[in-house]
């Protein structure tokens, strides 16, 4: 909906204010309303206004009544319904922010004394958001402003908290507090930082309420100040604060080990072995592995060769389908053809789902419309300097758009998150077929989808694992980074998130990814790649006397200056050096894939409204043809309306 000077980007009805703090609320104390997110001029507002919903409130029971209409519970008894608030988060704040004037946007809104409860607040004025505890009859959100007051608690009787948080994450960094999984710290972005970050990063600003979107929207962007600011904020989100401490203050040093990681004392590593990379596999060498009926033979040796040398460019189009699980290593040529036919049909069925959505339907589907807008914006900025994607009306951009929209139909829970276009672009460049590229992309996402999930547990775990490896490999470097407030390694966030896509030249990324996709020599070679880069830069970092800001700036300036062969050589050498150590701690062995975890890790509390199950990068083989989808052809698609939640928890 659009009007003079404003545009409504999100709207949800059935959002109530509970105006009584009594245990047994009267239905008259409920005020039904509509919550909206409105883009107005150069600001984004959260707007709530009452509406008349006849009969709605009378259906809500708060306590059992006796036949006479009196309350059967005494004042000392517990209520039969949890109204969803706690003593420290009152239903109606005693300090109400002054409501902004907001022009009416829908004629259905009432003009009554209840209108006094209407409010409109700029997203830039928010400081934190608190979610309700699980198990309530409906979910609520409490929004706290920078001024210290809280807005009236918003009770979503018909669901919608998840959708709202997704929309808010387009404009805000939402970082869950390690101490309280229900509390989100809010970091607003100004419009210039947003545009600069999109221009230089073409990364996240998506519908998911996770740190990924906000971190990549601003961090390695044009200005050094925003770069440092976001990294410091993210570091604060990762490090727990003492009970009662303000999240705005620097974190207090904590002697407790990171959960799931044992304390590393001093591990004596042997000398680092010399490693030499092999030449790429040629098409002739690949053909030697092709047996009767088109079945590949000696697959372990073939994968080891890909790990040690990569693939010649002319071989990638075929070999990547195996590495990404689109085609089975064991299948025959006929089986592959049948599989491709099946997956082609499956792809176009999913594509038709969003292609058949009319503009009128999409107008009422904010989720689908949001995905389409994000994808269109990202695609227009993705690898445009590459000849395959350059120029206006480039057909490659249309294929990128259609594949990403179709992926929203394939993976409803994840949908589209900014940064995915960076992962798809090299695949489409190599495969040059819409259907095949889609299923190869799905195979890649099987490996990294945890990076994009809202809980961000996967990214937090990987940063912890990276720190663990670095602590064993180079304690002095870790001590130096700690002394400069850079010990959380948050400057490596983007590396891990999109597998170094922004750090190496485009063609080097192809070599790096095909090596990582082999799953050799273990499941987390990408972490050793990060260690290798830091190892290459250790002297520059330590001898220059860099502070935290200079460290961040230096890491950012490494972009496109790294040699992929040098980095892979060093990463393999680090792996061999670690595995040769007879006293390697068990948890380091787990990260390297040398042993399976002997004890389950302590479960982390859910850190987001949609705690999708984070997954570790699986060990080799990375995928099988049965676990990742597949195809052959070219066309178009987008996501359908999010399933309505009856209860958010």
């Amino acid at each position: 909906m659009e009007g003079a000077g404003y545009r409504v980007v999100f709207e949800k009805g059935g959002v109530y204010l509970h105006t009584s703090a009594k245990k047994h609320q009267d239905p008259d104390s409920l005020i039904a309303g509509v919550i909206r997110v409105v883009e107005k001029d150069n600001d984004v507002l959260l707007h709530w206004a009452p509406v008349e919903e006849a009969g709605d409130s009378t259906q809500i029971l708060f306590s059992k009544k006796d036949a006479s209409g009196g309350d059967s519970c005494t004042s000392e008894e517990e209520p039969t319904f949890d109204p969803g608030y706690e003593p420290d988060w009152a239903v109606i704040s005693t300090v109400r922010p002054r409501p902004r004037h907001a022009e009416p946007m829908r004629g259905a809104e009432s003009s009554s004394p209840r209108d006094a409860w209407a409010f409109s607040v700029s997203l830039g004025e928010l400081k934190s958001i608190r979610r309700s505890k699980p198990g309530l009859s409906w979910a609520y959100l409490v929004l706290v402003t920078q001024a210290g007051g809280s807005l009236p608690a918003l009770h979503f009787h018909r669901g919608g908290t998840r959708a709202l948080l997704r929309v808010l994450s387009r404009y805000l960094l939402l970082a869950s507090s390690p101490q309280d999984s229900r509390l989100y710290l809010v970091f607003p972005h100004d419009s210039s930082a947003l545009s600069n970050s999109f221009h230089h990063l073409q990364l996240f600003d998506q519908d998911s309420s996770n740190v990924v979107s906000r971190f990549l929207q601003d961090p390695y962007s044009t200005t050094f100040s925003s770069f440092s600011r976001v990294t410091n904020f993210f570091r604060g989100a990762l490090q727990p604060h003492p009970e009662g401490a303000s999240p705005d203050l620097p974190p207090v040093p904590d002697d407790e080990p990171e959960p799931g990681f044992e304390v590393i004392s001093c591990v004596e590593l042997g000398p680092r072995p010399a490693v030499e990379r092999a030449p790429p596999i040629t098409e002739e060498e690949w053909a030697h592995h092709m047996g009767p009926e088109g079945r590949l033979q000696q697959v372990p040796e073939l994968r080891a060769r890909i790990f040690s040398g990569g693939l010649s460019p002319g071989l990638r189009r075929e070999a990547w389908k195996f590495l990404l699980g689109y085609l089975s290593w064991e299948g025959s040529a006929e089986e592959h053809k049948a599989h491709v036919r099946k997956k082609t049909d499956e792809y176009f069925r999913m594509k038709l789902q969003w292609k058949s959505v009319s503009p009128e339907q999409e107008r009422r589907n904010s989720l689908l419309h949001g995905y389409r807008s994000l994808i269109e914006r990202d695609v227009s900025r993705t690898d445009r300097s590459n000849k395959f994607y350059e120029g206006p009306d480039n057909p490659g951009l249309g294929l990128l758009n259609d594949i990403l929209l179709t992926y929203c139909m394939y993976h409803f829970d994840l949908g589209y998150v900014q940064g995915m276009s960076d992962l798809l672009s090299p695949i489409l460049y190599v495969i040059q077929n819409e259907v095949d590229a889609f299923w190869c992309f799905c195979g890649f996402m099987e490996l990294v989808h945890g990076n994009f999930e809202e809980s961000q547990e996967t990214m937090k775990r990987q940063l912890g694992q990276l720190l663990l490896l670095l602590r064993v490999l180079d304690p002095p470097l870790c001590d130096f980074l700690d002394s400069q407030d850079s010990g959380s390694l948050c400057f490596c966030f983007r590396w891990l998130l999109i597998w170094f896509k922004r750090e190496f030249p485009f063609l080097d990324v192809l070599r790096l990814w095909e090596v990582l996709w082999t799953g050799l020599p273990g499941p987390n070679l990408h972490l050793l790649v990060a260690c290798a880069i830091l190892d290459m830069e250790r002297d520059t970092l330590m001898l220059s006397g860099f502070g935290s800001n200079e460290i961040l700036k230096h890491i950012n300036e490494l972009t496109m200056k790294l040699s992929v062969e040098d980095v892979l050589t060093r990463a393999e050498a680090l792996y061999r050096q670690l595995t040769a150590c007879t006293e390697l701690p068990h948890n380091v062995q787990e990260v390297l894939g040398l042993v399976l975890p002997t004890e389950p890790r302590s479960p982390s509390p859910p850190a987001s409204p949609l705690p999708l199950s984070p997954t570790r990068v699986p060990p080799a083989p990375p995928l099988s043809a049965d676990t990742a989808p597949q195809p052959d052809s070219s066309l178009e698609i987008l996501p359908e309306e999010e399933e309505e939640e009856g209860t958010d928890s």
Side-chain angles (χ1 to χ4, degrees):
M1 180 195 312
E2 298 189 12
Y6 66 83
R7 182 171 73 94
V8 177
V9 296
F10 175 82
E11 182 176 273
K12 181 69 179 176
V15 180
Y16 285 71
L17 301 188
H18 294 187
T19 60
S20 171
K22 297 178 181 178
K23 289 184 176 181
H24 309 294
Q25 296 198 37
D26 188 281
D28 291 337
S29 65
L30 303 181
I31 303 178
V34 175
I35 190 74
R36 298 184 179 99
V37 177
V38 181
E39 291 181 352
K40 186 176 185 296
D41 300 326
N42 294 322
D43 200 1
V44 183
L45 307 175
L46 187 68
H47 174 87
W48 182 90
V51 296
E52 294 295 340
E53 294 194 358
D56 193 291
S57 62
T58 60
Q59 300 172 11
I60 304 165
L61 301 179
F62 293 87
S63 59
K64 295 181 180 179
K65 303 284 184 176
D66 58 25
S68 63
D71 196 325
S72 61
C73 297
T74 65
S75 58
E76 290 76 25
E77 291 178 295
E78 290 298 318
T80 58
F81 170 78
D82 185 343
Y85 57 88
E86 299 155 39
D88 56 336
W89 293 91
V91 180
I92 298 300
S93 172
T94 56
V95 183
R96 296 187 62 206
R98 179 177 298 176
R100 297 186 177 197
H101 174 73
E103 57 273 78
M105 292 176 230
R106 212 180 264 275
E109 291 169 6
S110 64
S111 56
S112 69
R114 294 190 170 197
D115 288 345
W117 290 103
F119 64 82
S120 186
V121 62
S122 170
L123 298 191
E125 297 177 17
L126 296 180
K127 181 178 181 180
S128 64
I129 301 174
R130 186 175 179 83
R131 296 176 61 230
S132 55
K133 61 185 177 183
L136 302 180
S137 296
W138 52 71
Y140 69 86
L141 296 176
V142 176
L143 294 85
V144 178
T145 65
Q146 296 286 349
S150 61
L151 295 169
L154 302 172
H155 296 255
F156 290 73
H157 289 198
R158 302 174 188 168
T161 58
R162 297 171 181 174
L164 176 59
L165 289 172
R166 285 194 190 97
V167 172
L168 293 182
S169 71
R170 299 182 196 176
Y171 311 98
L172 303 169
L173 166 64
L174 300 179
S176 60
S177 167
Q179 291 297 99
D180 186 348
S181 63
R182 294 161 50 201
L183 181 63
Y184 290 89
L185 309 178
V186 173
F187 184 83
H189 296 271
D190 57 55
S191 58
S192 60
L194 266 146
S195 59
N196 287 339
S197 63
F198 279 133
H199 178 71
H200 287 78
L201 289 182
Q202 305 166 17
L203 287 176
F204 283 70
D205 170 34
Q206 87 299 1
D207 269 355
S208 293
S209 300
N210 56 31
V211 178
V212 170
S213 59
R214 296 304 108 209
F215 187 89
L216 281 181
Q217 194 174 25
D218 197 274
Y220 295 79
S221 64
T222 55
T223 63
F224 165 65
S225 59
S226 63
F227 188 150
S228 171
R229 161 179 72 179
V230 174
T231 304
N232 290 336
F233 182 81
F234 184 74
R235 182 193 306 121
L238 286 181
Q239 296 179 355
H241 302 280
E243 195 68 37
S246 169
D248 296 325
L249 298 176
V252 177
D254 189 352
D255 294 329
E256 292 297 318
E258 181 74 13
F261 297 100
E262 47 193 85
V263 176
I264 302 300
S265 51
C266 195
V267 177
E268 290 293 333
L269 296 179
R272 187 175 301 174
V275 171
E276 290 188 8
R277 298 275 301 161
I281 296 180
T282 63
E283 296 179 51
E284 293 74 20
E285 184 177 354
W286 180 273
H288 285 303
H289 286 269
M290 194 65 67
E293 301 181 337
R295 295 182 192 273
L296 287 170
Q297 299 177 326
Q298 299 175 315
V299 172
E301 291 84 349
L302 182 59
R303 292 164 68 97
R305 274 290 289 117
I306 298 173
F307 166 74
S308 63
L311 298 159
S312 61
L315 189 55
R316 286 182 173 132
R317 184 174 183 180
E318 179 180 2
W320 278 24
K321 298 174 186 178
F322 292 91
L323 288 170
L324 290 169
Y326 174 33
L327 299 180
S328 167
W329 293 96
E330 297 78 22
S332 67
E334 285 301 317
E335 289 170 339
H336 291 157
K337 289 180 181 178
H339 184 68
V340 166
R341 286 194 297 270
K342 174 185 174 183
K343 289 300 183 180
T344 299
D345 180 65
E346 185 177 345
Y347 173 79
F348 287 116
R349 283 202 311 270
M350 289 187 292
K351 185 172 183 177
L352 184 61
Q353 290 176 349
W354 65 263
K355 290 288 284 184
S356 61
V357 173
S358 69
E360 181 68 16
Q361 286 177 297
E362 185 175 332
R363 188 179 67 83
R364 296 187 295 271
N365 190 331
S366 60
L367 183 62
L368 184 148
H369 180 73
Y371 284 151
R372 187 187 295 274
S373 299
L374 288 170
I375 290 171
E376 288 177 354
R377 181 169 56 188
D378 285 359
V379 164
S380 68
R381 296 176 170 93
T382 299
D383 290 327
R384 296 308 301 276
S385 61
N386 187 304
K387 289 185 180 296
F388 189 75
Y389 298 111
E390 70 180 2
D393 303 320
N394 187 296
L397 301 180
L399 294 179
L400 277 177
N401 180 82
D402 292 353
I403 291 172
L404 292 170
L405 288 175
T406 305
Y407 185 76
C408 295
M409 310 308 298
Y410 173 75
H411 200 319
F412 286 102
D413 288 341
L414 190 58
Y416 176 75
V417 179
Q418 285 184 304
M420 290 182 182
S421 61
D422 278 287
L423 301 185
L424 172 60
S425 170
I427 294 176
L428 181 59
Y429 170 85
V430 168
I431 303 298
Q432 299 196 11
N433 175 281
E434 179 181 4
V435 179
D436 292 351
F438 171 81
W439 291 113
C440 287
F441 174 67
C442 289
F444 194 5
M445 288 302 298
E446 283 294 314
L447 295 174
V448 300
H449 74 90
N451 292 0
F452 300 97
E453 291 171 349
E454 296 186 27
S455 69
Q456 279 305 287
E457 290 303 313
T458 298
M459 288 302 301
K460 293 175 186 177
R461 188 189 68 241
Q462 288 181 91
L463 285 170
Q465 291 172 331
L466 175 58
L467 181 59
L468 177 66
L469 292 176
L470 195 64
R471 177 65 67 182
V472 174
L473 287 166
D474 198 338
L477 176 59
C478 283
D479 292 341
F480 168 76
L481 293 175
D482 283 337
S483 71
Q484 301 303 320
D485 295 327
S486 299
S488 63
L489 305 183
C490 289
F491 49 80
C492 301
F493 187 97
R494 188 178 69 181
W495 295 0
L496 306 183
L497 181 73
I498 52 174
W499 276 28
F500 307 94
K501 168 62 166 56
R502 294 282 172 179
E503 317 314 317
F504 293 93
F506 190 87
L507 295 180
D508 283 358
V509 170
L510 308 184
R511 172 60 46 79
L512 174 65
W513 283 3
E514 63 198 14
V515 170
L516 294 176
W517 289 336
T518 65
L520 300 174
N524 288 310
L525 180 62
H526 66 299
L527 299 181
L528 289 168
V529 168
C531 289
I533 297 173
L534 293 175
D535 184 68
M536 294 167 69
E537 299 299 318
R538 75 180 304 272
D539 290 344
T540 302
L541 294 173
M542 297 179 68
L543 299 179
S544 63
F546 282 167
S548 59
N549 292 336
E550 290 80 11
I551 291 172
L552 292 169
K553 186 173 184 291
H554 178 75
I555 294 297
N556 187 45
E557 291 175 347
L558 295 176
T559 300
M560 302 301 160
K561 297 178 182 178
L562 300 167
S563 164
V564 71
E565 290 296 330
D566 290 347
V567 170
L568 285 172
T569 299
R570 191 169 300 229
E572 184 177 355
L574 294 176
Y575 176 84
R576 294 185 184 182
Q577 184 181 25
L578 287 169
T579 54
C581 177
T582 58
E583 300 178 352
L584 201 62
H586 187 273
N587 54 358
V588 179
Q589 296 182 53
E590 289 180 16
V591 174
L592 298 177
L594 302 177
V595 297
L596 295 175
T598 55
E599 298 179 1
R601 300 188 189 279
S602 301
S604 300
S608 81
L610 283 178
L612 303 176
S613 54
T615 56
R616 168 176 293 189
V617 177
L623 289 175
S624 70
D626 296 329
T627 59
Q630 320 175 21
D632 182 291
S633 254
S634 277
L635 285 188
E636 340 165 12
I637 309 194
L638 194 127
E640 67 185 15
E641 189 168 7
E642 182 189 34
E643 184 174 329
E644 185 67 37
E645 316 114 293
T647 301
D648 285 310
S649 61

